[in-house]
Amino acid sequence: MTLSKKATCNSHGQDSSYFLGWQEYEKNPYDELRNPNGIIQMGLAENQLSFDLLESWLAENPDAAGFKRNGESIFRELALFQDYHGLPAFKNALVQFMSEIRGNKVKFDPNNLVLTAGATSANETLIFCLAEPGEAFLLPTPYYPGFDRDLKWRTGVEIVPIQCTSSNGFKITAPALEEAYQLAHKRNLKVKGVLVTNPSNPLGITLTRNELNLLLDFIDAKGIHLISDEIYSGTVFNSPNFVSIMEILVNRNYMKTEVWDRVHIVYSLSKDLGLPGFRVGAIYSNDEMVVAAATKMSSFGLISSQTQYLLSAMLSDEKFAQNYVVENQKRLKNRHEMLVRGLKSAGISCLKSNAGLFCWVDMRHLLTSNTFEAEIELWKKIVYQVGLNISPGSSCHCVEPGWFRVCFANMSEDTLNLAIQRIKSFVDDYDYSLSRNGDGFSQNSSKNSRRKSFTKWVFRLSFHDRERER
């Protein structure tokens, strides 16, 4: 039987090392008792540090968890068909929570909010609304590997990288924006917009006011859109604080202008509340046509009424929401410092970061050559010999070999300590081996040849597709 081109094409991105590492982990997952030598999952940007706060609230609010109102069951009401515009109570609670995270410096209109089944759906829906197949969006590198799937696979839209480097801490610059724009035109691609993550995945840093102003100036001059993916906005644990693109728009009096209508925000509760399994995402746009079109498209990926009811009750509890944000950020800061301190003791540094569930880790000094082949060789050693699944920078389209994304919030403190011990032992052995063999960047060509053959994707065919949320 002949299948569709979409079913048989290879543009999903599932053969990226980001996803391949996941699948290796699933073959041999670490368990303290059952499999103590297994692979520790450090490629999962998941927040498990504050589940006790959520569970305490649920225990104290049995009506919400039991789908009751004033002690009376509303199960049947929730079980029946619901308008795809979403429950008004939940939309009101969600925009209130979004404002709380942003220090109440900006307010959001629930009528401009479109509910989606996670940020993956929100980003793809926006691309469907804003661009045609064969048109392009510009994305600063390094960027979340799943965007190759989310933005391109079904939409047919292309991604053109805005090249950012370690020389300035991977900041977005005006020359890099213009260079990406011109590159798109050389490829005969019409640029429809720029997409950024703020805070950044995988860098774990917030965009500066200067960068945000630069982006607004750029899209204003080019007449294009800006999507600001702000799903990590509640994870900012260090200075500088998070600044939403909406705050910059208001401060610059862009209301009731064309630019006001060309800026769109993506949000989710997957990271800030640690609820990726609940599939709660949202699009916020000031453009009525975008909101109307995205709302129609959302019927293909709705949030269940039961989920909306439960979370509307939780987020409407202002005291709980405020305390949760503060306490969660405190825990993230402590865990982040624990990883950075542990890596430093192994001679490994990280990009200075202030947000997110991961660190952008510099292992360039551990490469045997300044190549992406050497990066993949090192990554395989860390996966198979050390037993840690981390994400190589090449999977995030980083232009410099030797950077890795390492997650810290999806495991217990004991497991993180074990991971740190493993990497320290590996580095000690690795340094000793290099000093004995005289290996390193000056290696001879025969060693280079052997390494290049080793880094071929010998195990790629053994993997099976499996969808993963970032």
Side-chain angles (χ1 to χ4, degrees):
M1 181 183 294
T2 303
L3 301 179
S4 70
K5 289 182 179 178
K6 188 61 64 182
T8 55
C9 75
N10 193 33
S11 60
H12 182 279
Q14 198 72 29
D15 59 354
S16 159
S17 51
Y18 172 79
F19 293 106
L20 296 179
W22 266 87
Q23 294 170 22
E24 286 304 285
Y25 160 76
E26 289 171 352
K27 294 176 183 177
N28 183 29
Y30 166 79
D31 183 273
E32 183 180 2
L33 298 177
R34 293 187 292 271
N35 191 21
N37 296 317
I39 296 173
I40 296 174
Q41 174 62 289
M42 304 188 84
L44 172 60
E46 197 169 71
N47 182 8
Q48 299 182 21
L49 303 186
S50 299
F51 275 160
D52 61 310
L53 303 180
L54 302 176
E55 290 167 337
S56 293
W57 187 90
L58 290 171
E60 294 166 5
N61 295 270
D63 270 15
F67 307 124
K68 295 179 180 180
R69 184 187 298 126
N70 299 323
E72 297 292 324
S73 174
I74 57 168
F75 172 79
R76 294 188 181 190
E77 176 186 328
L78 295 173
L80 297 176
F81 175 79
Q82 297 286 348
D83 191 316
Y84 54 51
H85 288 81
L87 299 182
F90 177 59
K91 294 177 82 171
N92 287 330
L94 186 56
V95 295
Q96 178 181 308
F97 187 66
M98 290 169 65
S99 294
E100 175 69 31
I101 285 170
R102 291 157 180 80
N104 292 307
K105 294 178 181 178
V106 290
K107 294 190 179 295
F108 297 92
D109 184 347
N111 294 316
N112 294 354
L113 196 74
V114 180
L115 300 178
T116 64
T120 295
S121 176
N123 276 309
E124 185 190 55
T125 298
L126 265 179
I127 297 298
F128 269 125
C129 288
L130 304 179
E132 301 289 349
E135 296 180 334
F137 262 75
L138 311 181
L139 271 68
T141 62
Y143 63 79
Y144 162 57
F147 280 148
D148 292 319
R149 168 200 65 196
D150 303 350
L151 308 184
K152 293 170 54 178
W153 186 43
R154 299 200 299 182
T155 67
V157 170
E158 296 295 327
I159 292 175
V160 177
I162 302 165
Q163 303 291 12
C164 303
T165 68
S166 62
S167 61
N168 69 344
F170 296 97
K171 297 287 191 297
I172 300 170
T173 64
L177 281 168
E178 188 59 38
E179 185 179 341
Y181 190 83
Q182 295 304 324
L183 175 61
H185 279 271
K186 286 180 183 177
R187 293 173 54 190
N188 294 317
L189 296 171
K190 182 178 180 181
V191 176
K192 294 304 293 287
V194 180
L195 186 149
V196 296
T197 55
N198 183 28
S200 167
N201 175 12
L203 299 177
I205 58 176
T206 50
L207 292 180
T208 63
R209 287 182 182 272
N210 181 59
E211 288 174 288
L212 294 170
N213 281 309
L214 182 66
L215 288 164
L216 286 183
D217 290 341
F218 183 76
I219 69 155
D220 191 3
K222 304 297 187 185
I224 59 178
H225 295 270
L226 174 63
I227 299 174
S228 182
D229 184 331
E230 300 184 355
I231 69 168
Y232 289 96
S233 52
T235 69
V236 181
F237 49 78
N238 268 342
S239 179
N241 294 327
F242 172 70
V243 180
S244 171
I245 192 63
M246 188 61 65
E247 183 180 338
I248 302 296
L249 282 169
V250 172
N251 290 347
R252 292 183 58 173
N253 295 313
Y254 268 119
M255 296 81 75
K256 298 181 181 178
T257 67
E258 288 187 8
V259 172
W260 180 253
D261 289 342
R262 293 205 306 269
V263 176
H264 321 277
I265 292 174
V266 167
Y267 187 58
S268 162
L269 296 181
S270 295
K271 310 304 179 182
D272 293 348
L273 281 187
L275 300 175
F278 278 40
R279 309 307 308 135
V280 179
I283 295 166
Y284 189 87
S285 176
N286 294 307
D287 188 312
E288 292 181 2
M289 290 185 65
V290 169
V291 171
T295 301
K296 293 170 188 172
M297 292 184 189
S298 72
S299 62
F300 295 100
L302 298 173
I303 306 169
S304 76
S305 300
Q306 292 85 350
T307 298
Q308 291 187 54
Y309 176 73
L310 171 62
L311 293 179
S312 66
M314 180 182 289
L315 297 181
S316 295
D317 185 337
E318 292 185 30
K319 183 178 179 182
F320 166 78
Q322 292 170 0
N323 290 340
Y324 176 89
V325 170
V326 172
E327 179 61 25
N328 183 58
Q329 290 169 342
K330 187 186 303 180
R331 295 181 185 188
L332 287 172
K333 180 177 182 177
N334 291 337
R335 187 59 67 84
H336 169 268
E337 290 175 350
M338 180 179 167
L339 175 59
V340 171
R341 189 167 55 246
L343 290 174
K344 185 177 181 180
S345 69
I348 298 173
S349 63
C350 305
L351 180 72
K352 186 177 180 180
S353 57
N354 64 326
L357 312 175
F358 32 73
C359 287
W360 189 238
V361 179
D362 185 358
M363 298 192 194
R364 288 176 292 179
H365 61 296
L366 297 177
L367 299 182
T368 53
S369 65
N370 189 27
T371 63
F372 287 109
E373 287 83 5
E375 176 183 280
I376 294 301
E377 178 186 347
L378 176 61
W379 171 68
K380 287 183 178 181
K381 288 179 179 177
I382 292 172
V383 172
Y384 294 113
Q385 297 177 22
V386 187
L388 306 177
N389 175 40
I390 61 178
S391 304
S394 53
S395 71
C396 303
H397 302 272
C398 184
V399 296
E400 301 172 21
W403 291 89
F404 293 81
R405 191 189 77 164
V406 180
C407 299
F408 57 76
N410 63 315
M411 66 194 76
S412 70
E413 203 169 287
D414 287 343
T415 302
L416 182 57
N417 272 321
L418 175 60
I420 292 169
Q421 290 170 17
R422 287 185 181 184
I423 196 73
K424 286 175 69 175
S425 296
F426 169 73
V427 172
D428 289 344
D429 292 343
Y430 198 69
D431 287 345
Y432 178 68
S433 176
L434 287 178
S435 65
R436 285 196 63 186
N437 298 329
D439 217 343
F441 287 117
S442 61
Q443 64 209 336
N444 60 44
S445 58
S446 65
K447 286 180 179 176
N448 243 333
S449 176
R450 289 198 297 273
R451 282 196 176 83
K452 286 181 179 178
S453 65
F454 174 71
T455 57
K456 297 296 183 184
W457 291 107
V458 294
F459 55 90
R460 178 178 288 179
L461 295 178
S462 69
F463 295 119
H464 304 288
D465 282 353
R466 183 166 300 175
E467 192 74 16
R468 284 295 174 195
E469 176 62 9
R470 71 183 97 170

